[in-house]
Amino acid sequence: MDRFSRTLLSAAAESGLATITLSRHVPSFRRSIHCDDEVVILAHCLRPDGQLSGDHLLLLTRRHVIVTKQSRVLNRIKVEVDSGLADLDDVRWSADPNIPGVEVAFNAGGTRQRFWIDAQHGKQVWRLDALLAKVFRRPSVSMATLTPVGRGYF
């Protein structure tokens, strides 16, 4: 079993995806992902902007992000986003343990993409937040932005 398959299965188990759902989406993932790439996040997601028709899966590896959509009527799988991490711009996410879930937004191919990852509980929200921070590295905040000029706290 290759690295992609091992990490895909563990990510699917962690997210609680049904085996039948995963088996429908795997051929689309395999077309874009190299066998030695490692899966970081695999999650069911929705579009928060009202495009809720169909089942979406977000797959984030160390090199790629892929979002597939399964149509409700014909159960066909369509790749909506297939982009390398180096090609993504303005990656942002917002974790909310009260709802619980994480909203992820990024620019891919000149289009702004937004997805809502639903979590079962607050701990899973913080786990997703930590994984996203590891892959995309949070922007650093300088001390100059934290303390007002001329009013140092030291």
Side-chain angles (χ1 to χ4, degrees):
M1 187 179 295
D2 62 2
R3 186 176 195 168
F4 172 72
S5 298
R6 280 195 316 273
T7 56
L8 180 72
L9 292 175
S10 65
E14 185 177 341
S15 66
L17 282 175
T19 307
I20 189 123
T21 302
L22 182 63
S23 65
R24 287 185 184 134
H25 291 260
V26 165
S28 298
F29 294 149
R30 282 261 180 214
R31 282 186 218 117
S32 301
I33 303 297
H34 196 268
C35 63
D36 70 340
D37 205 356
E38 180 181 345
V39 175
V40 177
I41 295 174
L42 177 65
H44 179 263
C45 61
L46 302 170
R47 287 203 177 262
D49 53 2
Q51 299 175 351
L52 300 177
S53 61
D55 225 1
H56 290 80
L57 279 186
L58 181 135
L59 175 76
L60 177 67
T61 70
R62 301 264 180 222
R63 299 179 197 148
H64 273 82
V65 62
I66 299 175
V67 179
T68 56
K69 175 184 173 183
Q70 179 178 342
S71 66
R72 292 188 187 269
V73 177
L74 300 174
N75 289 330
R76 291 187 179 155
I77 304 298
K78 175 185 170 190
V79 176
E80 287 203 344
V81 178
D82 181 4
S83 185
L85 294 186
D87 299 330
L88 298 180
D89 292 325
D90 194 25
V91 178
R92 296 175 187 260
W93 65 94
S94 173
D96 190 352
N98 295 326
I99 294 179
V102 177
E103 183 177 2
V104 179
F106 53 86
N107 292 334
T111 306
R112 187 73 176 163
Q113 304 287 340
R114 290 178 54 217
F115 297 97
W116 175 259
I117 301 172
D118 198 21
Q120 283 106 18
H121 48 77
K123 286 183 180 179
Q124 189 177 21
V125 171
W126 296 125
R127 170 94 172 125
L128 288 168
D129 182 61
L131 290 171
L132 288 166
K134 184 185 273 188
V135 172
F136 294 112
R137 305 207 193 276
R138 292 187 197 274
S140 60
V141 178
S142 67
M143 286 300 290
T145 60
L146 296 176
T147 58
V149 176
R151 303 178 93 190
Y153 293 108
F154 297 100

